[in-house]
Amino acid sequence: MPRKILVTNALPYANGDIHLGHLVGYIQGDIWVRFQRMRGNTVHYVCADDTHGTPIMLRAEKEGLTPEQLINRVHGEHLRDFTDFGVAFDNYHSTHSPENRDYAGDIYGKLSRGGLIDTRSIEQYYDPVKEMFLPDRFIKGECPKCGAADQYGDNCEACGAAYAPTELKNPYSAVSGAKPVLKTSEHYFFRLSDDRAVAFLREWTRGTNAAGSRRLQTEAANKMKEWLGEEGENKLSDWDISRDAPYFGFEIPGAPGKYFYVWLDAPIGYLASFRNLADKRGDIAVEDYTDAVRSEAAGTEMVHFIGKDILYFHALFWPAMLKFAGYRTPSQLCVNGFLTVDGAKMSKSRGTFITARSYVEQKLNPEWLRYYFAGKSNGTMEDVDLNLDDMIAKVNSDLVGKFVNIASRCAGFITKRFDGQLGETDVTACSEFAAAWAADSLSSAYEERDYSRALREIMRLADVANQFVNDHKPWELAKQEGQDARLHQVCSTALTMFRDLTRYLKPVLPSLASQVERFLGVPALQWQGDWAPLPAGHKVEAYSHLMTRIERKQIDALLEANRESLAPSTAQPQAKAVAASPQRHAEKQQHTVQAAETTSPHISIDDFTKIDLRIARIVDAQHVEGADKLIRLQLDIGECDEAGNPKPRQVFAGIKSAYDPVTLVGRLTVMVANLAPRKMKFGMSEGMVLAASDPDGTTAGLYILAPDDGATPGMRVK
RNA sequence: GGUGAUGUAGCUCAGACGGUUAGAGCGACGGAUUCAUAACCCGUAGGUCGGCAGUUCGAUUCUGCCCAUCACCA
């Protein structure tokens, strides 16, 4: 009985570009969907832009657009990025849609009638100039703990303290610069602290779904336990779901001037997108997937792929909203971790904040990234590190060296010697492949989203195939009289193995797989039925190579294209944000993202004065025997020994490529006098001289510094 | 500060309900080969399994403490 699954990916916020961090979760989701379909299951795969909230409203205003114009533009950009990376949603909708308005109203109405909506007055900062209430992130001021200036209303980037915006000293509005005033307003709350909700969530987060598997990964379930507290303890507080006008969103039915908080209607966008798809197609019974009773009868599933930054929303608010509005709750949450690049948070100054667009524009192959991410995905919430050198090595050796190579080394014989027709396959030689087909270890690895395990096994099979070719040496058979039949069999067998490998890699590399299907002249590869070799007499196309290698210089160009110079921080907060989180989703991400940027380009004056810079006279300079780069310098900085004789410092400087020692003697330059002495192969080095060079190496050369006339040895530089 | 996760060969990662010589791929090195975008094949070297202490006949695997990294919370 095929499964019927509604799969979603987190909705990206319509306030920024898709970057490689986002793509981790989308690629994981897409691979799972493609796998399920190859197994014959029915999957509806939907997503949408998350479009509401204050940041969108203000951003549109800044760009001189209406919010609708802004989100329309971004919708196109996002969809194009996903498409280019092979993430093939059946529908990419928007939370600013009639379907979403209907669902939001319906869910809210049912919660309200169920007694789960409360109103109460709260006091908040209000911008009197802009005439709007200010979210925490739009209030700035001095940190109440350490006094650092220009800190946001929720936490301090200088000392890490967390506080309420009302605790800030000298607060001002980041929108207008005005001093905010406290103002009272009535807000609507979802009563998450209600006993029914708490009891439900306790069961839901640790229980299993209809198929008997856990709804949350173990780590995620543990995290929920932390948030929910122990039995009898109630750590949940009610959730503020309204915002006052002006606000870009949906007005709450029966509450003029009050709008749904963006996070209320964001996940509802999953249903809206699905409804929109069903209306377009006309053959999907929506309630079979969305209604509590009917979905149970129909045995459908609803699976959400999300980043761990938005677990809170998807494991608490979302199931509770659904449950108490009579909707089905999610069957499973697949939570992925953050992306780091070369072991560190993505950074604009290092160029590792890589946008999806720039990757495509720099002509890198999206399937390289899909393969690498898949190789790093093991179905847990762990962070994924994109190690660029590792990616180059892995893709080049696995995909080009091993996988593609199998076809490349055999197809030529089939074309040249046998007119493109396959011969008999040596089925015994394929025993490992037949065994892999019969076993469920590969498919269960995909099912559990442990793609790295699947790929390890697939690459082991690729090794088997290459060994087979190597052992039977078709290039020798080709030269021998009377070995045509054997040659034919060996190459045909290798191509059957190659067909199998392609099938297993297809969820990860859909585009490469379709090239192979064309080359082999086979219908779209599926993952069901009995194993059979490619039949004798079957005709294949001439081989043309399937994938190129990655070169380091392509990666360097990509980093360069994403590098932003460290200009003084006059930019708007959004513009210089560095996101560590894969799914930036509504205002919550404004938090994560801003807090993530701790790599300040500034040092304090105290840090600077730790460096003792001195004017030095080069009293001697010598080549160093056996050193490629070093020159031995004796530097006078006015120091003397006990007897009062001048005592120059010995410093080894790596400037041999640019200077002849003879020309250095007598010159003045600048040295770091308090650098810890270091024993080098050729002796002690008691400091360093400063020299300028182009970090990119575009302009060659090395230039030591020289003071203006009048400076004398020993003078302090500061 | 509290909680949790992670720390295994140069790199990326498996694994171990405690038990003889701790694994893979890549990289390095040596050999073989030349069908294949120097790809493939065979072989070698590399790890006191983050540190310290404890439990045990025996710990890298369990416990405690510490260190580092990351996340969450206040």
Side-chain angles (χ1 to χ4, degrees), chain A residues 311-334:
Chain A
L311 176 63
Y312 202 90
F313 295 90
H314 284 80
L316 293 178
F317 305 150
W318 177 233
M321 282 162 66
L322 291 169
K323 167 74 181 174
F324 296 104
Y327 286 76
R328 73 97 46 77
T329 59
S331 317
Q332 212 183 344
L333 299 184
C334 305

PDB file of all heavy atoms in Angstrom, chain A residues 311-334:
ATOM      1  N   LEU A 311      12.421  25.034  15.973  1.00  0.00           N
ATOM      2  CA  LEU A 311      11.818  23.861  16.610  1.00  0.00           C
ATOM      3  C   LEU A 311      10.702  24.274  17.565  1.00  0.00           C
ATOM      4  O   LEU A 311       9.640  23.658  17.613  1.00  0.00           O
ATOM      5  CB  LEU A 311      12.906  23.084  17.360  1.00  0.00           C
ATOM      6  CG  LEU A 311      12.429  21.880  18.171  1.00  0.00           C
ATOM      7  CD1 LEU A 311      11.821  20.831  17.263  1.00  0.00           C
ATOM      8  CD2 LEU A 311      13.580  21.286  18.972  1.00  0.00           C
ATOM      9  N   TYR A 312      10.986  25.322  18.344  1.00  0.00           N
ATOM     10  CA  TYR A 312      10.033  25.809  19.325  1.00  0.00           C
ATOM     11  C   TYR A 312       8.653  26.028  18.727  1.00  0.00           C
ATOM     12  O   TYR A 312       7.644  25.579  19.255  1.00  0.00           O
ATOM     13  CB  TYR A 312      10.571  27.137  19.876  1.00  0.00           C
ATOM     14  CG  TYR A 312      10.029  27.525  21.209  1.00  0.00           C
ATOM     15  CD1 TYR A 312      10.667  27.117  22.374  1.00  0.00           C
ATOM     16  CD2 TYR A 312       8.880  28.297  21.314  1.00  0.00           C
ATOM     17  CE1 TYR A 312      10.169  27.482  23.610  1.00  0.00           C
ATOM     18  CE2 TYR A 312       8.377  28.665  22.539  1.00  0.00           C
ATOM     19  CZ  TYR A 312       9.029  28.252  23.695  1.00  0.00           C
ATOM     20  OH  TYR A 312       8.532  28.594  24.923  1.00  0.00           O
ATOM     21  N   PHE A 313       8.622  26.698  17.584  1.00  0.00           N
ATOM     22  CA  PHE A 313       7.345  27.023  16.954  1.00  0.00           C
ATOM     23  C   PHE A 313       6.651  25.778  16.410  1.00  0.00           C
ATOM     24  O   PHE A 313       5.437  25.663  16.478  1.00  0.00           O
ATOM     25  CB  PHE A 313       7.563  28.020  15.818  1.00  0.00           C
ATOM     26  CG  PHE A 313       8.075  29.347  16.304  1.00  0.00           C
ATOM     27  CD1 PHE A 313       9.433  29.606  16.406  1.00  0.00           C
ATOM     28  CD2 PHE A 313       7.178  30.334  16.693  1.00  0.00           C
ATOM     29  CE1 PHE A 313       9.892  30.822  16.880  1.00  0.00           C
ATOM     30  CE2 PHE A 313       7.628  31.544  17.167  1.00  0.00           C
ATOM     31  CZ  PHE A 313       8.983  31.800  17.265  1.00  0.00           C
ATOM     32  N   HIS A 314       7.472  24.865  15.881  1.00  0.00           N
ATOM     33  CA  HIS A 314       6.877  23.706  15.222  1.00  0.00           C
ATOM     34  C   HIS A 314       6.545  22.561  16.164  1.00  0.00           C
ATOM     35  O   HIS A 314       5.788  21.673  15.799  1.00  0.00           O
ATOM     36  CB  HIS A 314       7.800  23.200  14.115  1.00  0.00           C
ATOM     37  CG  HIS A 314       7.760  24.058  12.900  1.00  0.00           C
ATOM     38  ND1 HIS A 314       8.456  25.238  12.798  1.00  0.00           N
ATOM     39  CD2 HIS A 314       7.085  23.936  11.731  1.00  0.00           C
ATOM     40  CE1 HIS A 314       8.227  25.791  11.622  1.00  0.00           C
ATOM     41  NE2 HIS A 314       7.392  25.018  10.952  1.00  0.00           N
ATOM     42  N   ALA A 315       7.136  22.556  17.322  1.00  0.00           N
ATOM     43  CA  ALA A 315       6.883  21.441  18.232  1.00  0.00           C
ATOM     44  C   ALA A 315       5.957  21.840  19.378  1.00  0.00           C
ATOM     45  O   ALA A 315       5.470  20.987  20.100  1.00  0.00           O
ATOM     46  CB  ALA A 315       8.204  20.902  18.786  1.00  0.00           C
ATOM     47  N   LEU A 316       5.715  23.127  19.548  1.00  0.00           N
ATOM     48  CA  LEU A 316       4.795  23.564  20.611  1.00  0.00           C
ATOM     49  C   LEU A 316       3.559  24.240  20.031  1.00  0.00           C
ATOM     50  O   LEU A 316       2.470  23.694  20.050  1.00  0.00           O
ATOM     51  CB  LEU A 316       5.515  24.526  21.567  1.00  0.00           C
ATOM     52  CG  LEU A 316       6.629  23.935  22.416  1.00  0.00           C
ATOM     53  CD1 LEU A 316       7.278  25.014  23.269  1.00  0.00           C
ATOM     54  CD2 LEU A 316       6.101  22.831  23.309  1.00  0.00           C
ATOM     55  N   PHE A 317       3.756  25.448  19.510  1.00  0.00           N
ATOM     56  CA  PHE A 317       2.598  26.221  19.057  1.00  0.00           C
ATOM     57  C   PHE A 317       1.825  25.504  17.951  1.00  0.00           C
ATOM     58  O   PHE A 317       0.608  25.417  17.981  1.00  0.00           O
ATOM     59  CB  PHE A 317       3.050  27.599  18.527  1.00  0.00           C
ATOM     60  CG  PHE A 317       3.858  28.394  19.508  1.00  0.00           C
ATOM     61  CD1 PHE A 317       4.822  29.284  19.079  1.00  0.00           C
ATOM     62  CD2 PHE A 317       3.650  28.260  20.875  1.00  0.00           C
ATOM     63  CE1 PHE A 317       5.554  30.034  19.978  1.00  0.00           C
ATOM     64  CE2 PHE A 317       4.380  29.003  21.784  1.00  0.00           C
ATOM     65  CZ  PHE A 317       5.339  29.894  21.331  1.00  0.00           C
ATOM     66  N   TRP A 318       2.590  25.026  16.968  1.00  0.00           N
ATOM     67  CA  TRP A 318       1.958  24.500  15.762  1.00  0.00           C
ATOM     68  C   TRP A 318       1.094  23.262  16.035  1.00  0.00           C
ATOM     69  O   TRP A 318      -0.094  23.267  15.712  1.00  0.00           O
ATOM     70  CB  TRP A 318       3.037  24.281  14.714  1.00  0.00           C
ATOM     71  CG  TRP A 318       2.610  23.680  13.412  1.00  0.00           C
ATOM     72  CD1 TRP A 318       3.165  22.584  12.815  1.00  0.00           C
ATOM     73  CD2 TRP A 318       1.590  24.146  12.511  1.00  0.00           C
ATOM     74  NE1 TRP A 318       2.563  22.334  11.612  1.00  0.00           N
ATOM     75  CE2 TRP A 318       1.579  23.281  11.397  1.00  0.00           C
ATOM     76  CE3 TRP A 318       0.675  25.192  12.533  1.00  0.00           C
ATOM     77  CZ2 TRP A 318       0.697  23.416  10.326  1.00  0.00           C
ATOM     78  CZ3 TRP A 318      -0.205  25.339  11.474  1.00  0.00           C
ATOM     79  CH2 TRP A 318      -0.189  24.461  10.385  1.00  0.00           C
ATOM     80  N   PRO A 319       1.620  22.236  16.672  1.00  0.00           N
ATOM     81  CA  PRO A 319       0.741  21.082  16.923  1.00  0.00           C
ATOM     82  C   PRO A 319      -0.433  21.434  17.836  1.00  0.00           C
ATOM     83  O   PRO A 319      -1.535  20.908  17.653  1.00  0.00           O
ATOM     84  CB  PRO A 319       1.659  20.044  17.578  1.00  0.00           C
ATOM     85  CG  PRO A 319       2.944  20.716  17.856  1.00  0.00           C
ATOM     86  CD  PRO A 319       3.014  21.946  17.045  1.00  0.00           C
ATOM     87  N   ALA A 320      -0.200  22.340  18.776  1.00  0.00           N
ATOM     88  CA  ALA A 320      -1.291  22.708  19.684  1.00  0.00           C
ATOM     89  C   ALA A 320      -2.387  23.452  18.930  1.00  0.00           C
ATOM     90  O   ALA A 320      -3.587  23.204  19.122  1.00  0.00           O
ATOM     91  CB  ALA A 320      -0.756  23.561  20.832  1.00  0.00           C
ATOM     92  N   MET A 321      -1.986  24.355  18.055  1.00  0.00           N
ATOM     93  CA  MET A 321      -2.967  25.078  17.242  1.00  0.00           C
ATOM     94  C   MET A 321      -3.812  24.093  16.431  1.00  0.00           C
ATOM     95  O   MET A 321      -5.040  24.194  16.363  1.00  0.00           O
ATOM     96  CB  MET A 321      -2.250  25.993  16.230  1.00  0.00           C
ATOM     97  CG  MET A 321      -1.704  27.281  16.787  1.00  0.00           C
ATOM     98  SD  MET A 321      -0.451  27.983  15.643  1.00  0.00           S
ATOM     99  CE  MET A 321      -1.463  28.393  14.229  1.00  0.00           C
ATOM    100  N   LEU A 322      -3.117  23.175  15.792  1.00  0.00           N
ATOM    101  CA  LEU A 322      -3.803  22.222  14.923  1.00  0.00           C
ATOM    102  C   LEU A 322      -4.755  21.344  15.720  1.00  0.00           C
ATOM    103  O   LEU A 322      -5.923  21.170  15.377  1.00  0.00           O
ATOM    104  CB  LEU A 322      -2.776  21.360  14.188  1.00  0.00           C
ATOM    105  CG  LEU A 322      -1.939  22.084  13.136  1.00  0.00           C
ATOM    106  CD1 LEU A 322      -0.788  21.188  12.677  1.00  0.00           C
ATOM    107  CD2 LEU A 322      -2.787  22.512  11.949  1.00  0.00           C
ATOM    108  N   LYS A 323      -4.206  20.811  16.800  1.00  0.00           N
ATOM    109  CA  LYS A 323      -4.970  19.875  17.610  1.00  0.00           C
ATOM    110  C   LYS A 323      -6.297  20.483  18.074  1.00  0.00           C
ATOM    111  O   LYS A 323      -7.347  19.878  17.912  1.00  0.00           O
ATOM    112  CB  LYS A 323      -4.119  19.464  18.815  1.00  0.00           C
ATOM    113  CG  LYS A 323      -4.864  18.740  19.911  1.00  0.00           C
ATOM    114  CD  LYS A 323      -5.171  17.323  19.494  1.00  0.00           C
ATOM    115  CE  LYS A 323      -5.945  16.607  20.611  1.00  0.00           C
ATOM    116  NZ  LYS A 323      -6.362  15.276  20.146  1.00  0.00           N
ATOM    117  N   PHE A 324      -6.220  21.663  18.624  1.00  0.00           N
ATOM    118  CA  PHE A 324      -7.414  22.236  19.240  1.00  0.00           C
ATOM    119  C   PHE A 324      -8.317  22.961  18.240  1.00  0.00           C
ATOM    120  O   PHE A 324      -9.347  23.502  18.603  1.00  0.00           O
ATOM    121  CB  PHE A 324      -7.025  23.118  20.426  1.00  0.00           C
ATOM    122  CG  PHE A 324      -6.378  22.308  21.520  1.00  0.00           C
ATOM    123  CD1 PHE A 324      -5.005  22.330  21.732  1.00  0.00           C
ATOM    124  CD2 PHE A 324      -7.161  21.456  22.303  1.00  0.00           C
ATOM    125  CE1 PHE A 324      -4.424  21.542  22.706  1.00  0.00           C
ATOM    126  CE2 PHE A 324      -6.589  20.674  23.281  1.00  0.00           C
ATOM    127  CZ  PHE A 324      -5.214  20.711  23.478  1.00  0.00           C
ATOM    128  N   ALA A 325      -7.877  22.942  16.968  1.00  0.00           N
ATOM    129  CA  ALA A 325      -8.753  23.462  15.921  1.00  0.00           C
ATOM    130  C   ALA A 325      -9.322  22.315  15.093  1.00  0.00           C
ATOM    131  O   ALA A 325      -9.954  22.554  14.058  1.00  0.00           O
ATOM    132  CB  ALA A 325      -7.993  24.447  15.041  1.00  0.00           C
ATOM    133  N   GLY A 326      -9.038  21.078  15.521  1.00  0.00           N
ATOM    134  CA  GLY A 326      -9.602  19.935  14.817  1.00  0.00           C
ATOM    135  C   GLY A 326      -8.845  19.509  13.579  1.00  0.00           C
ATOM    136  O   GLY A 326      -9.358  18.748  12.768  1.00  0.00           O
ATOM    137  N   TYR A 327      -7.635  20.000  13.442  1.00  0.00           N
ATOM    138  CA  TYR A 327      -6.817  19.583  12.307  1.00  0.00           C
ATOM    139  C   TYR A 327      -5.911  18.428  12.717  1.00  0.00           C
ATOM    140  O   TYR A 327      -5.683  18.184  13.912  1.00  0.00           O
ATOM    141  CB  TYR A 327      -5.945  20.744  11.816  1.00  0.00           C
ATOM    142  CG  TYR A 327      -6.724  21.800  11.055  1.00  0.00           C
ATOM    143  CD1 TYR A 327      -7.527  22.720  11.727  1.00  0.00           C
ATOM    144  CD2 TYR A 327      -6.645  21.873   9.675  1.00  0.00           C
ATOM    145  CE1 TYR A 327      -8.235  23.690  11.034  1.00  0.00           C
ATOM    146  CE2 TYR A 327      -7.353  22.840   8.968  1.00  0.00           C
ATOM    147  CZ  TYR A 327      -8.142  23.750   9.652  1.00  0.00           C
ATOM    148  OH  TYR A 327      -8.833  24.702   8.968  1.00  0.00           O
ATOM    149  N   ARG A 328      -5.358  17.761  11.720  1.00  0.00           N
ATOM    150  CA  ARG A 328      -4.403  16.697  12.017  1.00  0.00           C
ATOM    151  C   ARG A 328      -3.090  17.336  12.478  1.00  0.00           C
ATOM    152  O   ARG A 328      -2.757  18.449  12.089  1.00  0.00           O
ATOM    153  CB  ARG A 328      -4.196  15.847  10.776  1.00  0.00           C
ATOM    154  CG  ARG A 328      -3.362  16.511   9.662  1.00  0.00           C
ATOM    155  CD  ARG A 328      -1.881  16.128   9.666  1.00  0.00           C
ATOM    156  NE  ARG A 328      -1.618  14.741   9.823  1.00  0.00           N
ATOM    157  CZ  ARG A 328      -1.747  13.839   8.862  1.00  0.00           C
ATOM    158  NH1 ARG A 328      -2.099  14.231   7.662  1.00  0.00           N
ATOM    159  NH2 ARG A 328      -1.467  12.597   9.085  1.00  0.00           N
ATOM    160  N   THR A 329      -2.361  16.626  13.305  1.00  0.00           N
ATOM    161  CA  THR A 329      -1.074  17.153  13.754  1.00  0.00           C
ATOM    162  C   THR A 329       0.031  16.490  12.925  1.00  0.00           C
ATOM    163  O   THR A 329      -0.186  15.450  12.312  1.00  0.00           O
ATOM    164  CB  THR A 329      -0.853  16.875  15.254  1.00  0.00           C
ATOM    165  OG1 THR A 329      -0.910  15.465  15.460  1.00  0.00           O
ATOM    166  CG2 THR A 329      -1.922  17.568  16.088  1.00  0.00           C
ATOM    167  N   PRO A 330       1.226  17.091  12.926  1.00  0.00           N
ATOM    168  CA  PRO A 330       2.306  16.555  12.077  1.00  0.00           C
ATOM    169  C   PRO A 330       2.666  15.117  12.463  1.00  0.00           C
ATOM    170  O   PRO A 330       2.663  14.756  13.634  1.00  0.00           O
ATOM    171  CB  PRO A 330       3.478  17.489  12.364  1.00  0.00           C
ATOM    172  CG  PRO A 330       2.854  18.746  12.867  1.00  0.00           C
ATOM    173  CD  PRO A 330       1.624  18.330  13.602  1.00  0.00           C
ATOM    174  N   SER A 331       2.972  14.305  11.445  1.00  0.00           N
ATOM    175  CA  SER A 331       3.418  12.939  11.711  1.00  0.00           C
ATOM    176  C   SER A 331       4.858  12.944  12.194  1.00  0.00           C
ATOM    177  O   SER A 331       5.273  12.100  12.976  1.00  0.00           O
ATOM    178  CB  SER A 331       3.367  12.089  10.443  1.00  0.00           C
ATOM    179  OG  SER A 331       2.185  12.335   9.731  1.00  0.00           O
ATOM    180  N   GLN A 332       5.610  13.886  11.668  1.00  0.00           N
ATOM    181  CA  GLN A 332       7.035  13.861  11.944  1.00  0.00           C
ATOM    182  C   GLN A 332       7.643  15.243  11.697  1.00  0.00           C
ATOM    183  O   GLN A 332       7.280  15.924  10.740  1.00  0.00           O
ATOM    184  CB  GLN A 332       7.701  12.866  10.985  1.00  0.00           C
ATOM    185  CG  GLN A 332       8.894  12.166  11.563  1.00  0.00           C
ATOM    186  CD  GLN A 332       9.546  11.243  10.549  1.00  0.00           C
ATOM    187  OE1 GLN A 332       8.953  10.904   9.515  1.00  0.00           O
ATOM    188  NE2 GLN A 332      10.761  10.831  10.820  1.00  0.00           N
ATOM    189  N   LEU A 333       8.570  15.636  12.568  1.00  0.00           N
ATOM    190  CA  LEU A 333       9.382  16.821  12.306  1.00  0.00           C
ATOM    191  C   LEU A 333      10.804  16.340  12.024  1.00  0.00           C
ATOM    192  O   LEU A 333      11.371  15.594  12.814  1.00  0.00           O
ATOM    193  CB  LEU A 333       9.415  17.758  13.521  1.00  0.00           C
ATOM    194  CG  LEU A 333       8.090  18.345  14.011  1.00  0.00           C
ATOM    195  CD1 LEU A 333       8.361  19.323  15.152  1.00  0.00           C
ATOM    196  CD2 LEU A 333       7.373  19.054  12.877  1.00  0.00           C
ATOM    197  N   CYS A 334      11.348  16.756  10.907  1.00  0.00           N
ATOM    198  CA  CYS A 334      12.721  16.405  10.569  1.00  0.00           C
ATOM    199  C   CYS A 334      13.553  17.653  10.752  1.00  0.00           C
ATOM    200  O   CYS A 334      13.450  18.597   9.966  1.00  0.00           O
ATOM    201  CB  CYS A 334      12.803  15.933   9.130  1.00  0.00           C
ATOM    202  SG  CYS A 334      11.685  14.565   8.786  1.00  0.00           S
TER     203      CYS A 334
END
